[in-house]
Amino acid sequence: MAGLRVLVLGGGGREHALAWSFARSSAVDEVIAAPGNPGMRALGRCVPVDATDPKAVTTLAADVEADLVVVGPEAPLVAGVVDALEVDGRLAFGPGAAAAELEGSKAWMKGVLADAGVPTARHGAFTDDRADEALAFLDTLDDLYVVKTDGLAAGKGVVVTESRDDAADAVRSYLSGEAFGDAGRTVVIEEGLSGPELSVLVLCDGDNAVPLPPAQDFKRIGDGDTGPNTGGMGAYSPVPEATTAVVDTVMDSAVHPTLDVLRGRGITYRGVLYAGLMLTPQGPKVLEYNVRFGDPECQAVVPRLASDLAVHCMEAAEGRLVTPVAVREDACVTVVLAAEGYPVSPRTGDAIEGIGNADLLDGVAVFHAGTSMSGDEVTTSGGRVLAVSALGPDLVAARTRAYEAADLIHWPGVRYRRDIAESAAARTVGTPDATP
Ligand code: AMP
Ligand code: GLY
């Protein structure tokens, strides 16, 4: 495999990390990003596209003669971009629309989990004509209430609360369409679980499923897991709790049974399956599936790969994962730098300083997410602006470097969590690394 032209769809930190990895691959000649971002521009051409329009994507892939299209975000997958590319005879990494329903509809996903016997939170799913039943279901739960939109809500459609009143308010505002439009007109209500969270990203080729090193995400905006949920404020890998035995349990109790049920329904899963888990006292339980790499987990996992991600993606798309996944001993810590006001109403348009200096530090990569060019200046244009990833011999060293790099970057109102990987680093000091 050599001389590949890879088209990356998307323009966030996850896609920048994917393109960064592909650009370092000896199998890849050219990386093209659509739409890409200012950081990705240093790696290859960026071209505009409506990534959720299958016709536009197939036309672009043909124009640039892509050997492989790697789809970053969920919306194009749910829209059937991979199906359209395959009809066109082009290799694409990502599931088709039928399989992408695992993320596109939480109610459908819960049905698959039930058929597969996968451990998950007890739940009920309710359409907007069943509001009374939905509210009555809340009364069957104790202590912690979880209300989710059935459909895609850019990571913001989940409320976790100890207040039945707040849960009921969420149910009403979701079902009425007021909060999330059609995505919320069906709600999934579930019992609250507790325990450490874990993200296991699994490469799938239709037959085989191979886990990448697990990561942990930090969902809340504030230190100590306070404040509202975000798309993710940081991540790290390896995760001390995620021993080989835990990953094996996740594969055997969740991933393989899920893929088997999909196969039984005539659905082939190729691409990356992201299992969002809670490690409960009763064992790992699935909170959600995503049908793509996690963001920012991707930025913490990809730098740890010693094997070639482009080769893995190509093989998965071809339905024959054969090259073993190899992982570096180094740990990786990713800190997300966000704009003031995120996640509610981020302030944008500020000039960013210091990216170049941070990028120069040994083992550090700065991935762009919400940035634009304004003349010669890189400016903020979104909530999550940059993801700073640092490798180090262990989590303590990786974290020190990540924060050293983050501290070199400035714009008015920049904010980031100070506790990414803090407790994991403290727990791993002096203990041998038994994690994948
Ligand atoms: P999801 O998009 O389903 O992963 O939910 C987003 C976040 O909400 C998760 O990462 C958890 O932090 C939290 N969450 C989701 N489901 C539950 C649950 N059943 N119990 C406790 N927290 C949950
Ligand atoms: N970091 C969470 C996600 O990608 O959905």
Side-chain angles (χ1 to χ4, degrees), residues 106 121 144 146 148 155 158 160 190-194 197 219 229 278 287-288:
K106 287 189 193 279
L144 197 58
V146 183
K148 303 181 176 185
V158 177
V160 181
E190 62 186 42
E191 63 178 340
L193 302 175
S194 56
E197 284 187 50
K219 289 262 167 32
N229 263 343
M278 201 160 258
L287 294 181
E288 63 167 343

Side-chain angles (χ1 to χ4, degrees), residues 168 285 316 368 387 390 404 415 433:
K285 295 193 178 180
H368 289 232
E404 214 178 297
R415 61 182 298 178
D433 184 4

Side-chain angles (χ1 to χ4, degrees), residues 11 16 22 24 32 50 60 62 74 83 96 142 169 228 247 271 280 287 313 319 322 355 430 434-435:
H16 188 176
F22 299 154
R24 297 151 77 101
I32 300 155
D50 175 357
L60 173 64
E74 60 277 16
D83 310 77
D142 2 89
D169 286 347
V247 175
T280 74
L287 294 181
C313 291
V322 286
I355 295 178
T435 56

Side-chain angles (χ1 to χ4, degrees), residues 233-328:
M233 294 300 293
Y236 68 92
S237 176
V239 181
E241 289 85 0
T243 57
T244 306
V246 167
V247 175
D248 287 348
T249 304
V250 170
M251 294 301 290
D252 293 344
S253 68
V255 173
H256 287 303
T258 299
L259 295 172
D260 288 345
V261 163
L262 292 181
R263 230 175 269 123
R265 297 186 185 188
I267 299 171
T268 303
Y269 197 104
R270 287 200 203 97
V272 69
L273 177 62
Y274 162 148
L277 303 145
M278 201 160 258
L279 303 180
T280 74
Q282 297 81 38
K285 295 193 178 180
V286 170
L287 294 181
E288 63 167 343
Y289 278 128
N290 294 317
V291 296
R292 48 165 176 86
F293 287 94
D295 188 339
E297 290 95 324
C298 182
Q299 295 92 305
V301 169
V302 165
R304 291 194 66 219
L305 294 180
S307 49
D308 189 332
L309 182 64
V311 171
H312 296 317
C313 291
M314 191 70 184
E315 289 182 356
E318 289 173 335
R320 47 165 212 105
L321 275 174
V322 286
T323 304
V325 169
V327 181
R328 304 161 62 121

Side-chain angles (χ1 to χ4, degrees), residues 5 13 17 43 50 92 125 163-164 196 220 276 302 307 320 329 331 334 388 405 428 431:
R5 191 173 294 125
L43 304 170
D50 175 357
S163 154
R164 189 203 173 278
R220 305 278 184 147
V302 165
S307 49
R320 47 165 212 105
E329 298 239 328
T334 301
V388 176
T428 50
T431 56

